[in-house]
């Protein structure tokens, strides 16, 4: 062994060196995925705990919903500044600072003593979390060669796609069995572990160090005006989307004011960012066919991911009487399938063009949503599970492929900007998806209720027969004097229940159409070089 080492100049065999580098890269991928999982988890973990938060802090359900909204707004705002700040101060330093802020504010959320304090800590949590996701992709892109990025993004994709699925399950169980406070406190130990591993494993690449020195020597400053314009637009958009339906849209001065603020910011930010030498957001990337197509597909993916994660547990709780824990468990098998599909997608990504994988994933998701348009009163737990499995199987093929394809043709110095825009698309797309689903549910429920009430006319023989049978039933099992009024109340409840169920079916129709639209969008993408071929041996 010593002779070999001496003959080779004391260097390790090339294969052993490559193996060491590979292990280090995968360790970095694991740490990045852990931090990302923790951040994305908080986009959904509080959804099923809102009624517990409302009761614990003695506030109304509408006020409690700001716990979700404030996080999304802060998260979107933070995304816009993460690219430059990571370049200027180093990816490792900024990533660890973001995780630290997220972890500390998560613990503070768990000890919040009022709604105002909880909202403040959620804003800080969102600011910390917003800087984590785009940097995670940039770190992976630098840690792995192009031929291996598909598999690296698969691990990262598991975190992003599975976390929103685990969120309702974990949040429901913690709320039912422990306390809603632990929906936030659970991030404490995970964050501390992630910080220790980051300090040990992460290092800025040589290109990133050189870029940081160049920016410092040239005195390049952060685009504060561009950041404030983009942040104002995104913040106003998030508030309008999340609160519009609750405040009756443009009948509310609050919504009109935020719409005007967002419109002014949007009109001002485009020319500013296009003319700025160092813009907060490089909108020039959206001028290329490849990246613009990936951006739109990610908008649709985020809409489907967040909307399905919210509305499937919602319907089983409201219409089928599931507990928060059982409602979360409806999504759990789909999460397991998502992990397996993500591994499969990562392996075949080097052999199949991204556009075909996106199209296949979109069709699978659309079928899962389409199957939910055949709901009935006796729909079983496993019917919902199987439908969710199709969605879980399709999402990785879409998410992994569009993430990898978005970097094709991007210069190394544009990696952070591309990552920030793609994650912004997922975040904004999620808000748009929830907004569309909520509006569909509200308006279609009113429509179906008005149509069903037409048949609940006292002159209708069918209504008279139903009222007679219900009255006889209530007379047998209760006070005969109040039997008829109870029967009429029962019929009214049935009308409302049926109207709500038909409205949910319309929501799933909408999401199915949104999912199937991903397939033609994918055909716009260019064919990219595949990384299946092994490099020649030295």
């Amino acid at each position: 062994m010593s002779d070999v080492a001496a003959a080779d100049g004391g260097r390790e065999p090339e294969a052993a060196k490559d193996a060491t580098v590979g292990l280090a890269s995968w360790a970095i991928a694991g740490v990045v995925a852990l931090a990302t999982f923790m951040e994305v988890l908080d986009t959904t973990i509080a959804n099923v705990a809102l009624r517990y938060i409302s009761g614990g802090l003695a506030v109304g359900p509408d006020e409690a919903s700001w716990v979700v909204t404030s996080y999304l707004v802060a998260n979107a705002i933070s995304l816009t500044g993460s690219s430059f700040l990571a370049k200027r101060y180093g990816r490792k330093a900024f990533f660890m600072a973001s995780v630290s802020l997220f972890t500390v504010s998560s613990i503070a959320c768990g000890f919040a003593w009022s709604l105002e304090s909880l909202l403040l800590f959620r804003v800080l949590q969102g600011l910390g979390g917003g800087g984590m996701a785009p940097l995670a992709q940039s770190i992976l892109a630098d840690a792995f060669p192009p031929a291996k990025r598909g598999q690296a993004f698969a691990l990262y994709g598991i975190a992003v796609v599975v976390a929103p699925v685990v969120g309702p399950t974990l949040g429901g169980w913690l709320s039912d069995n422990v306390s809603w406070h632990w929906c936030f406190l659970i991030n404490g130990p995970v964050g501390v572990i992630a910080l220790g591993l980051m300090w040990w494993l992460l290092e800025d690449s040589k290109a990133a160090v050189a870029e940081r020195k160049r920016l410092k020597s040239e005195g390049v400053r952060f685009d504060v005006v561009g950041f404030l314009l983009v942040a104002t637009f995104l913040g106003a958009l998030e508030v309008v989307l999340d609160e519009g339906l609750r405040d009756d849209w443009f009948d509310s001065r609050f919504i009109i004011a935020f719409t005007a603020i967002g419109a002014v910011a949007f009109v001002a930010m485009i020319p500013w960012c296009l003319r700025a030498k160092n813009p907060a957001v490089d909108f020039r990337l959206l001028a290329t066919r490849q990246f613009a197509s990936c951006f739109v597909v990610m908008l649709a993916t985020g809409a489907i991911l967040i909307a399905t994660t919210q509305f499937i547990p919602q319907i089983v709780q409201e219409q089928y009487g599931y507990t928060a824990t059982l409602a979360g468990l409806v999504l759990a098998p789909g999460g397991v399938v998502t992990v397996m599909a993500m591994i499969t997608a990562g392996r075949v990504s080097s052999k199949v063009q991204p556009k075909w994988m996106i199209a296949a994933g979109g069709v699978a998701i659309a079928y899962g949503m389409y199957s939910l348009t055949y709901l009935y009163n006796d729909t079983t737990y496993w019917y919902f599970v199987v439908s969710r499995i199709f969605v879980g199987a399709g999402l990785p093929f879409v998410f992994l492929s569009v993430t990898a394809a978005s970097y094709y043709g991007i210069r190394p110095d544009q990696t952070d900007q591309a990552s920030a825009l793609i994650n912004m698309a997922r975040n904004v797309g999620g808000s748009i998806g929830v907004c569309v689903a909520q509006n569909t549910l509200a308006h279609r429920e009113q429509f179906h209720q008005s149509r069903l009430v037409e048949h609940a006319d006292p002159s209708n023989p069918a209504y008279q027969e139903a009222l007679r049978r219900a009255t006889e039933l209530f007379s047998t099992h209760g006070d005969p004097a109040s039997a008829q009024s109870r029967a009429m109340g029962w019929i009214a409840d049935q009308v409302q229940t049926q109207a709500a169920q038909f409205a949910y079916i319309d929501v799933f129709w909408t999401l199915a159409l949104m999912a199937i639209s991903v397939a033609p969008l994918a055909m716009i993408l260019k064919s990219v070089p595949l990384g299946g071929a092994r490099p020649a041996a030295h």
Side-chain angles (χ1 to χ4, degrees), residues 98-144:
S98 297
V99 175
S100 299
L101 177 60
F102 181 88
T103 303
V104 173
S105 56
S106 296
I107 297 174
C109 285
F111 289 103
W113 58 89
S114 65
L115 179 64
E116 291 76 16
S117 63
L118 178 58
L119 294 181
L120 172 62
F121 298 140
R122 280 289 278 179
V123 168
L124 295 175
Q125 190 185 34
L127 291 175
M132 292 162 58
L135 286 184
Q137 294 186 32
S138 300
I139 291 171
L140 291 179
D142 286 343
F144 288 84

Side-chain angles (χ1 to χ4, degrees), residues 143 199 205 218 256 265 278 347-348 350 363 378 389 391 396 435 474 522 531:
W199 181 82
S205 64
E218 295 179 1
I256 293 175
N278 182 50
R347 291 182 176 178
V348 303
S350 61
V363 171
D378 295 329
I389 283 176
V391 177
C435 175
F474 285 113

Side-chain angles (χ1 to χ4, degrees), residues 372-510:
L372 291 176
T373 62
Y374 286 92
L375 297 178
Y376 51 93
N377 292 335
D378 295 329
T379 300
T380 64
Y381 167 84
W382 288 106
Y383 188 90
F384 287 105
V385 168
V386 172
S387 299
R388 181 63 191 184
I389 283 176
F390 279 98
V391 177
L395 277 172
F397 286 88
V398 178
F399 177 83
L400 170 62
S401 303
V402 73
T403 302
S406 65
Y407 286 96
Y408 177 65
I410 297 296
R411 301 193 310 269
D413 62 308
Q414 295 177 311
T415 300
D416 290 336
Q417 284 279 359
S419 181
L421 280 171
I422 286 295
N423 280 276
M424 188 188 302
R426 175 173 56 84
N427 201 8
V428 175
S431 295
I432 293 174
V434 172
C435 175
V436 170
Q438 284 178 337
N439 278 273
T440 301
L441 181 65
H443 291 97
R444 295 300 292 177
E445 185 173 356
Q446 293 177 358
F447 169 79
H448 289 300
Q449 187 167 354
S450 65
R451 296 301 300 271
L452 290 172
V453 167
E454 294 176 0
H455 299 282
D457 191 324
S459 62
N460 189 332
Y463 174 79
Q464 294 175 1
E465 179 63 17
L467 180 60
R468 183 186 65 80
R469 292 187 177 184
T471 301
E472 291 179 355
L473 179 64
F474 285 113
S475 296
T476 305
H477 296 85
D479 182 14
S482 61
Q484 186 172 16
S485 61
R486 292 170 61 193
M488 294 175 67
W490 176 81
I491 292 176
D493 289 341
Q494 292 300 306
V495 168
Q496 188 172 358
T497 300
Q498 289 297 317
Q501 186 163 0
F502 288 148
Y504 273 110
I505 289 174
D506 292 337
V507 168
F508 294 129
W509 267 115
T510 303

